[in-house]
Amino acid sequence: MLPELHFESSYLPRVRRRPMKQPVKVRIMLPMSIRCNTCGSHICQGTKFKSRKEEVVGETYLGNQRFRFYFTCTNCSAVLAIKTQPQHPDCEVESGATRVVENGQRKREAEEMGDVMKSRTYDLNREIDSLPPLDDMNSMK
């Protein structure tokens, strides 16, 4: 016959449960460069932060939930917030900071403007080609 085993409460593993709808603490990397509105310090893309993650209530995109992350400025400890955008692989700055345009984005914008300029020069060249040649006009005189 086997002896009965008695467990005291001190031997049982304790399970920690956090209350529902509490923000989860996560470690994130900043997806873009930002500038703090309070102190003006520049925080580069890829900086790691401990942040609070919470679901944005009532905002979904094709069934994907949007999240909001709260973290502090590295210089002045002001609270900054960003919100995810499931429709774009990007985030938007919600409060406490402004987004800084990176060189890559400037190049893309310049290329887009370059395409517009190329199309305009093509149109001008086509108009010039449609005009009668200058030699013909000189011979007419």
Side-chain angles (χ1 to χ4, degrees):
M1 188 109 173
L2 294 173
E4 288 185 32
L5 298 175
H6 296 283
F7 292 105
E8 294 181 20
S9 63
S10 63
Y11 292 118
L12 293 177
R14 293 183 182 178
V15 177
R16 281 189 172 174
R17 295 185 185 211
R18 69 175 207 287
M20 293 187 66
K21 299 296 180 184
Q22 288 290 321
V24 180
K25 293 181 182 174
V26 294
R27 187 164 166 94
I28 63 166
M29 289 180 75
L30 199 59
M32 68 256 179
S33 296
I34 60 174
R35 184 177 304 278
C36 177
N37 290 340
T38 307
C39 66
S41 67
H42 182 80
I43 304 171
C44 296
Q45 176 181 358
T47 305
K48 293 182 180 180
F49 289 100
K50 292 179 183 175
S51 65
R52 294 186 329 262
K53 172 184 159 183
E54 70 176 22
E55 292 182 2
V56 179
V57 178
E59 291 188 32
T60 59
Y61 177 76
L62 298 176
N64 293 331
Q65 184 67 37
R66 293 183 77 176
F67 295 101
R68 184 177 290 124
F69 296 95
Y70 296 101
F71 54 94
T72 58
C73 175
T74 54
N75 191 25
C76 66
S77 299
V79 177
L80 312 174
I82 60 173
K83 190 165 43 171
T84 60
Q85 292 180 334
Q87 64 268 31
H88 306 293
D90 201 8
C91 290
E92 64 181 85
V93 179
E94 195 169 44
S95 66
T98 54
R99 186 176 183 147
V100 176
V101 178
E102 292 94 5
N103 288 335
Q105 287 181 341
R106 288 187 184 145
K107 285 181 183 176
R108 275 186 250 124
E109 290 173 3
E111 287 174 2
E112 290 172 3
M113 287 302 294
D115 292 340
V116 171
M117 294 302 290
K118 285 179 187 175
S119 67
R120 287 183 183 168
T121 56
Y122 177 74
D123 291 340
L124 288 173
N125 288 337
R126 198 173 60 193
E127 286 179 22
I128 291 171
D129 291 340
S130 67
L131 294 174
L134 289 176
D135 295 334
D136 293 339
M137 294 188 73
N138 286 336
S139 64
M140 293 169 92
K141 288 184 182 178

